[in-house]
Amino acid sequence: MPANDPAALCLIALALSAAFLILGPTRAFADGKKPGGKKGKPAKVAKGGRPAAEAKAGRPVPEPKEDKASKDGKASKAASSGRGDKAPAEAGAAASPEPAAAESGPGKGAAAVPADLRLVSPRQERKPGQERKPRQERKPRPGREPEEGRAEEPDSAVYSRQLLAKRTLKGEGHPETVEAEWRLGFAFMDEGDPARAERHFRNSLEGRRRLLGPEHPDTLMSLRVLGLALSALDRPREAAELWGEVLAALEKRPREEAFEILIARLHRAVALAGAEGLVKHGPELRGAAARFMKSLGADDPNTLLAACEVGQALLDLHHSAEDEDEPLEISRKIVEAALSGNANTVKDMPELAVHAFSLLAEAALQLGDPRSRLAALRRAVALSERLRGALAPETLSLKHFRARALADLGDLEGGRRGLEQVLKARLKSLGKEAPETLGTMAALGDVLTAEGDVEDGLELMDEAAEKLGRVLGQDALETVEAKLMAARMHMYCGEHLEALALLGGVVEPLEKAAGQDDEAPLLARALLSEAYAGLGDGAAAVREAVAALKIREAGRGLDDPFSLSLMAAFVNACRAAGDMARAREAAEKAAALAERVLDPEDPGILNAWEDLALTLRESGDREAAIRAYRKLLSLRRKALGPRHEDTLAAKRELEALEGKA
């Protein structure tokens, strides 16, 4: 995975954006609910990122078993996925050509994905087109069984030793060494680390070009998987060039490679849209997607596999697209179409189906569709339990996200119980300081605070943030997310100094991972502004809020739902600094923007009018404040009902103002 960890960034942006848009500044940090309107959906994640919340772009996906045609040496459509690897070689020397395997785990290295912050893409069988038997499950050597509380050795460590042995015994250019490079690259991709996978895919590509020629099917597979890795690393222009090479070779055999040509064209269109914009390449992308969906075969695992790969590439594209929803919608349609025509594949190949439902869950998360997300996660959990067992690491990750989805939909008790079960299992299998365990601990604390158990919830979040910082480092995105969750709850409790201590240093790692203009670091700046305002440091509060607004305006402008979060922080900062003229101007703009870009029932509209009414009252313009409170009271009666506490509070404020008339 690239340095921009999408799953962590997605959840960070989601929690922060939800707090600002639903509850307004300062008091907004009590829970993680999201705006209900489609236009006011949760914030997106960073470029090149991927919540898989979840499944990682470019990571290999599960494959069907060998068929007769593959044993006869015939080309298979599954080659389009790039899994043309042969069976692993025997384990070699104990030394490894890569850094310590632990660095490919959560929070380590340039591309680590915390297991709790993404949906784990399942391990794979081999795809059709492979003559060798699939890898057998490794059994620990006597005396080397995994201890309770310790995770099994990752595949990358095993394949690194194998590669070192091949280099030592066979030499750099030997065919077996080339295949070992290929396998190690896929191990890193499977662990969510395309940055390290890229090097080995390039070595494999160079070797296959030299040994087999530039147009051999195995060489083209190396081009494909390298293209997937580059897309995952947010380098779409380079990926587009590689897919162009693949397409040029395949088009020389249009009849034999018709399906692969459709896939290559669609991948190239996705990469070009990411490099040069959806406005320019949108027609090409939509046309390629339509032709691909028409070609999907019924109960053909190859089509579902290809749909998953394309769907994942489209999920990555939405971060840089002008219309961010369109790639998500296309991704969802492609995967849903493949699933609907592959009922037997879903039954017979649950690993592939788990990956497909994980992609649907991520698309629903980004589209602000929590019900569809929960439905997809339930299917994924059921399949994973049948395939791997209820306590398998991959199943626990899916259960973690299912519990969070329940909490997002208001079922706090169901979410709490689910997270408690996951935490218990992870404490037993991974230990109390494993990043996955701490991620679940932080999420459980968040749900407890939403249930009203602020003391216990905040204690869990503080503990998770402290331990993650010690285990992974203060700049790890998992640590940053835990700090942000704990900080907003401290602010809700009026503990602004504690919140500020947690927020120190969170903006820089987010900017480094996602870019300065990404929503996650901008929302972190807004949260910092709120903390300074709560401490009475109006100048610092204005500084952070203005910086966020300027960055956003220079990038995508200030005419969208996300900008409301930043404008709310600026209004609050100006009030803290005593600059009521600027606060009033910003509050009026925010109220007008909210009514223009949000759905009528979206709570963000209520928050914007509350900010405006409060600002007008504090500025001393009683007549304008009365008009604003009347509008607010009308909106709250319609949205919340006449007896809701917020409705009654607005009524009391209005009566107090009118009594002074």
Side-chain angles (χ1 to χ4, degrees), residues 309-331:
E309 289 185 340
V310 173
Q312 185 62 74
L314 285 161
L315 287 178
D316 281 339
L317 171 61
H318 89 275
H319 305 303
S320 58
E322 293 86 352
D323 181 357
E324 295 187 358
D325 283 355
E326 185 174 12
L328 294 169
E329 293 287 4
I330 296 175
S331 173

